[in-house]
Amino acid sequence: MQEQTIHWKSPGLTRVPFELYSDRQTAHDEQERIYRGATWNYLCLDAELPGPGDYRTTFVGETPVVVVRDDDGEIYAFENRCAHRGALIVLEKSGKAAENFQCVYHAWSYNRQGDLTGVAFEKGVKGQGGMPATFCKEEHGPRKLMVAVYCGLVFGSFSEDVAPIEEYLGPEICARIERVLHKPVEVIGRFTQALPNNWKLYFENVKDSYHASLLHLFFTTFELNRLSQKGGVIVDESGGHHVSFSMIDPGAADASYKEQGLRSDDAQYRLKDPSVLAGFTEYDDGITLQILSVFPGFVLQQIQNCLAVRQLLPKSVERSELNWTYIGYTDDTPEQRTVRLKQLNLVGPAGFISMEDGAVGGFVQRGIAGAHDRDAVVEMGGDDTGSSEGRATETSVRGFWKAYRAHMEA
């Protein structure tokens, strides 16, 4: 019997049912309505597919996907599932396909655009067996995705109803992506991080500017990010995408954290090697931290000189996966590249800053067990989903739920 759909107790966005993070029917519906719905899902970087035949395997939600560049220079994406018995077509994370892909199970083959082009012993052997005469290869094959490339980011969608990528992102988010990805980049490192929590808990955390200087002791101790610094939060019209940004201002230090007795203002900690924070001025707008998200699971970060894209993937109701791809500009000087590599220590699964993010979602997942009839309170900064000049707000978290409900309840 299908479980009952979860109902919100109020029409607003300030009370979020805890059951949404652990309900299996909800997780099932998310795959159809969000990941295979009218959304753009991040697949990879254009720079990761430099030439014809170069490919990467990834996921859209739980669905395995192949992304590949063909001889025409275009990028194609299709479901990584053989049309015969459902085995993975491509097993490796990345590589180069000379002409086509061949399933290891029964050797059915596919071209780089995802078309079924070959069936082993289709005509049988010595007049025996084979596929029926009515079998048509054109009618079989994995599902194909629409592909859009924006500023070197490759997105895919299973829906023909999804808005064009620039319309989907909106002008403010586009401008903030262009700010970071305004010239060619290359990959300088990777991590894959297992998260012990529902995907929505991590994506809320990304959008939660309120927690950053409270949970992350490193941020506040070394004055990389304090709510008293200049900055703001941008939320797009749909609510699903956001930007949080701040600027280091050493002359603007205040006692607001110490006055409240917060753990985040513990001055006893020092860096044995402070050079990890010795960066260089990269942008002329003074912004030293920018976190940008695109619904349903993409993050672009600039923390000091550490640039990265993150891909969030659901793996079960209470487990998700975070793929970190660290990038630098192709025209970096050797000195700039050294800075970027050293600052990778700030973020990632064991980063000085983001290590806590990998644990706190699990704390919530464990804490809400048995609280299926209760709600989270998301009221900091009011009840709206608009942009804000301050960051002591949960406006972008409410924005996430605005977009989420629009997709799930449509």
Side-chain angles (χ1 to χ4, degrees), residues 5-20 371-376 405 409:
T5 301
I6 296 171
H7 296 288
W8 292 58
K9 297 175 184 176
S10 67
L13 301 166
T14 63
R15 298 294 185 272
V16 180
F18 282 134
E19 196 171 2
L20 286 168
H372 301 308
D373 59 339
R374 302 301 178 92
D375 300 328
R405 292 184 71 173
E409 298 175 8

Side-chain angles (χ1 to χ4, degrees), residues 50 76 86 121 143 158 240 266 291 341 348 389 407:
Y76 297 87
F121 300 118
R143 289 174 291 187
F158 280 110
D266 195 331
I291 303 296
L341 291 171
E389 293 183 0
H407 285 280

Side-chain angles (χ1 to χ4, degrees), residues 304-318:
Q304 303 288 88
N305 303 114
C306 182
L307 310 178
V309 295
R310 311 177 202 168
Q311 179 194 38
L312 174 64
L313 297 170
K315 290 300 176 183
S316 71
V317 176
E318 298 182 350

Side-chain angles (χ1 to χ4, degrees), residues 3 52 58 71-72 96 116 150 152 172 204 257 302 348 389 391 401:
E3 298 179 41
T58 184
D71 288 328
D72 60 2
K96 193 176 189 69
L116 176 62
Y150 187 76
E172 291 182 301
E204 281 184 300
Y257 286 80
Q302 174 228 337
E389 293 183 0
R391 289 173 295 124
W401 289 109

Side-chain angles (χ1 to χ4, degrees), residues 78-94:
F78 52 92
E79 191 176 13
N80 191 5
R81 175 188 56 82
C82 182
H84 180 216
R85 300 293 297 278
L88 292 172
I89 299 170
V90 184
L91 303 179
E92 296 79 13
K93 288 187 176 180
S94 64

